[in-house]
Each structure stands twice: as C-alpha cells, then as structure tokens.
Amino acid sequence: MRALTALQRADVACLVVDATQGFLRQEARLAGNAMDAGCSLLLIYNKWDLIEEREASWKRMLAERKQRYPTLTDLPAVPVSAAERVHLGKLPALIQQRADEHRRTVSTGDLNRWLEQAQQRRAPPSNRVGKVPKIYYVTQTGTRPPTFTLFVNAPDRLSPPYRRYLWLDLTAYFGFRGTPVRLSVRKSE
C-alpha cells in the first residue's frame, strides 16, 4: 500500500524485473499501476549475469512482453546485474530521460500540424445521425504527466475508437515512450 501511495507522488517509477523469470503478470499489474498513477516508467531487468546467450535472450524477452502485453510493448527497458555491476552506470541517465519526458512540452503549433496530418490520414467518423465532429485545435494543458486537450464543436460526437486513434498517433508521432499521456476533449466555446 505504501508503494502504491508513493506512486501517486512520483514522476518516475523503476520496475525491477527478475531477468531469469521474465516479465510476468505481477510486473504487468505493477506497470499498469505506475502508468495509471501518471509515472514515467523504466523497466530494469536484474540478474543479467545469470542469463546465457544474452543478445538472443534479450530479443526473446522483448518479443514475449510484446506478445503477452501489447499495451506495454514500448516501455523502455535495460538489463542490469547488481551483483556484477553491469550497466548500473546507465541508470542515472535513463532515469533522467524518463523525468525529462514526464515534464516535456510540445508547442501548440507542432500539435496542430500533427492534428492536421492525423486527420488527413484518418478523418473523424460521423455519429449515428451522420454528424461529423469538428476538431478545431489541440494544445498542451499540463505536464507531469503530459496532458493534451482537443477542442471540438461537439465532444460527444468524437467516438472512443477515434479518440484512441488520436492518442496512439500523438504518442507515436512525438515519441512518448513509457510516459502516460493524457488526452482530453473539451467543447470549444
């Protein structure tokens, strides 16, 4: 309970995974808790010294996580060995990258250029009555975690699948990895 409470106050969470066992359901649940709490996340695969054929094993571990937990595929990860001090020197820079991404801002101009391209690739669908929502613009309304707001003529016309498409496209376009990005919709006034 204290760890879950600490997640509410943290900007970055490091989830230590036992490399000999791989990324299991427990780790997936904890990763979900961290993302829900708004933390940027770094996976640390410990006990790397006990792994044989490390390069092939790393590829296999990443592929297994992608197959079993597709929503957690893009989480940044690093193999380490605390016992042999392998890759421990990389951790401060990786944690700093997570913190920087958590505080990252994107200009309104860049966001609206992205929005125009996203709508050209896939136009907003009409609702049951045949009315298409008009998305006027998008702006960043917060950091820690990055929060973006779409201004729309009728938010209820913007379907959940299209909102998901925009969220996925936004995170991919701007390269948010392992950082929960919030996307809200408001009525333009």
Side-chain angles (χ1 to χ4, degrees), residues 18-105:
D18 186 336
T20 61
Q21 295 183 16
F23 194 83
L24 303 174
R25 183 177 295 140
Q26 173 76 3
E27 284 83 7
R29 186 180 59 75
L30 292 170
N33 289 341
M35 298 293 275
D36 289 345
C39 295
S40 284
L41 189 60
L42 175 64
L43 299 180
I44 301 173
Y45 284 77
N46 194 22
K47 300 184 182 178
W48 197 240
D49 55 305
L50 303 177
I51 302 296
E52 295 179 12
E53 299 179 19
R54 292 179 180 164
E55 189 172 328
S57 295
W58 185 244
K59 288 179 183 177
R60 181 182 42 75
M61 285 181 201
L62 295 179
E64 284 175 5
R65 179 166 41 108
K66 181 177 183 175
Q67 179 187 9
R68 293 179 68 196
Y69 308 102
T71 59
L72 302 174
T73 298
D74 288 340
L75 294 178
V78 61
V80 300
S81 170
E84 293 186 2
R85 306 191 58 79
V86 174
H87 297 217
L88 292 181
K90 293 181 178 183
L91 291 180
L94 291 171
I95 293 168
Q96 185 62 51
Q97 285 175 352
R98 302 285 84 234
D100 291 345
E101 190 164 297
H102 201 249
R103 291 187 301 266
R104 185 170 156 203
T105 59

